[in-house]
Amino acid sequence: MINTKVKIVGVEFQNPVMVASGTFGSGEEFSEFVDLNRLGAVVTKGVANVPWPGNPTPRIAEVYGGMLNAIGLQNPGIDVFVNRDIPFLKKYNTRIIVNVCGKSAEDYCEVAERLADQPVDMLEINISCPNVKEGGIAFGQDPKAVEAITKACKRVAKQPVVMKLSPNVTDITVMAKAAEAGGADAVSLINTLTGMKIDVARRTFAIANKTGGLSGPAIHPIAVHMVYQTAQAVRIPIIGMGGIRNAEDALEMILAGATAVSVGTANFSDPAVTMEIVDGIERYLETSGVSDINALIGAVR
C-alpha cells in the first residue's frame, strides 16, 4: 500500500501536488482538463482587497526555457472570489490555498480577515508585491518587512499562513528565517526571477512593463537549490516550485526538502500535466519500493 498523503501544520493533503498561483486561475478554466479531486490543493490566483486591473499589455513574452510575465496580479478582488470562486472549489475534494496580495500590510490583513470565516485551508501570502509605503521595494526583499508582514497576517488569520518567498534576494535563507521568526506556518518558494526581453525587430521592450517574472524549466535548478538551502535553515515546512514539468522534477524538490510542490508554467503548455505528475510520483514510489512519500522529504542532504 502506497501512501502519498503529506501534512503541513495539521492540514492533510491527499498527495503533494498543487498548482502554482497565477497559472491555474481558481480552477474552473482547467476543470475540463484536470480532475480537481486528484490534486493535493488548488492554489488560487492572487486575491486583493479590491479589484486590481493589472499592468498594460503586452505583458507576456516567450523566452528560452520558459516565459516572462508582468500580469501585475490582475484580479477581481475578494468580494468576487468569496461569492464565485470558493463555492466552485468546494464542489471538489481538494484543499484550497488562497494566494493573498497587497500593497500595504493593511491590504493583506483585510483579505486575511475576510477569509477568516471562509472554508479555505491555508493562506499563501505573496510578498513579492511592492510595498508602496516603502518606495516600491517588494516586501520579500527586506527581512524586517518579511517578519513584520508575517506577524501582521498571523494576528488576524484563522488559517495557517504560508509566506511565498522571492528569489530576487542575496540570500533566500535570510528571508525564510525572517518568515519563521514572524510566525509563518510554512514557506513556499520560489516565486519568479526578474528578467527582460527586448524585441530586436521593433527595438523596444517585449513587455510594456520592461521587466517581467521569469518562470519555466530554466529556473528549476535555481529553485531546487533554494529549496535545499531553505530546508537546512528553517524548521517549518516548504512548498517547492519553479519549473516543474514532470514527476522527476517534483521528486527533486521533495528530496531537496519540500513537503509539497506547486506546478506553474507547465500548465500552460500541457493543461493535464498535474495528473501526469500525480501518476508519475505513484509509479516512482511503487517501482522504488518506497511505501510512504514522507520518507523522501529532505532525504538528500
Side-chain angles (χ1 to χ4, degrees), residues 45-54 71-78 81 101:
K45 183 167 174 52
V47 178
N49 60 330
V50 294
W52 283 12
I71 302 299
L73 293 163
Q74 178 182 339
N75 73 94
I78 184 66
F81 179 76
C101 52

Side-chain angles (χ1 to χ4, degrees), residues 105-127:
E106 292 77 17
D107 290 352
Y108 285 104
C109 290
E110 185 178 336
V111 176
E113 286 177 321
R114 286 288 309 278
L115 291 169
D117 61 353
Q118 293 296 320
V120 300
D121 298 289
M122 284 184 168
L123 308 182
E124 180 184 63
I125 311 299
N126 180 3
I127 51 175

Side-chain angles (χ1 to χ4, degrees), residues 1-6 12-14 285 290-294:
M1 188 71 178
I2 298 294
N3 176 50
T4 59
K5 292 178 180 177
V6 296
E12 186 174 78
F13 300 85
Q14 59 188 334
L285 294 174
V290 178
S291 60
D292 188 345
I293 194 161
N294 290 277

Side-chain angles (χ1 to χ4, degrees), residues 135-154:
I137 185 172
F139 286 93
Q141 291 178 311
D142 176 355
K144 290 182 180 177
V146 171
E147 184 172 351
I149 195 70
T150 305
K151 283 181 176 176
C153 290
K154 281 294 294 178

Side-chain angles (χ1 to χ4, degrees), residues 11 18 56 69 87 108 115 139 143 148 172 185 233 252 264 284 289:
V11 179
M18 308 176 179
N69 95 82
Y108 285 104
L115 291 169
F139 286 93
I172 199 164
D185 297 289
E252 266 194 278
Y284 177 86

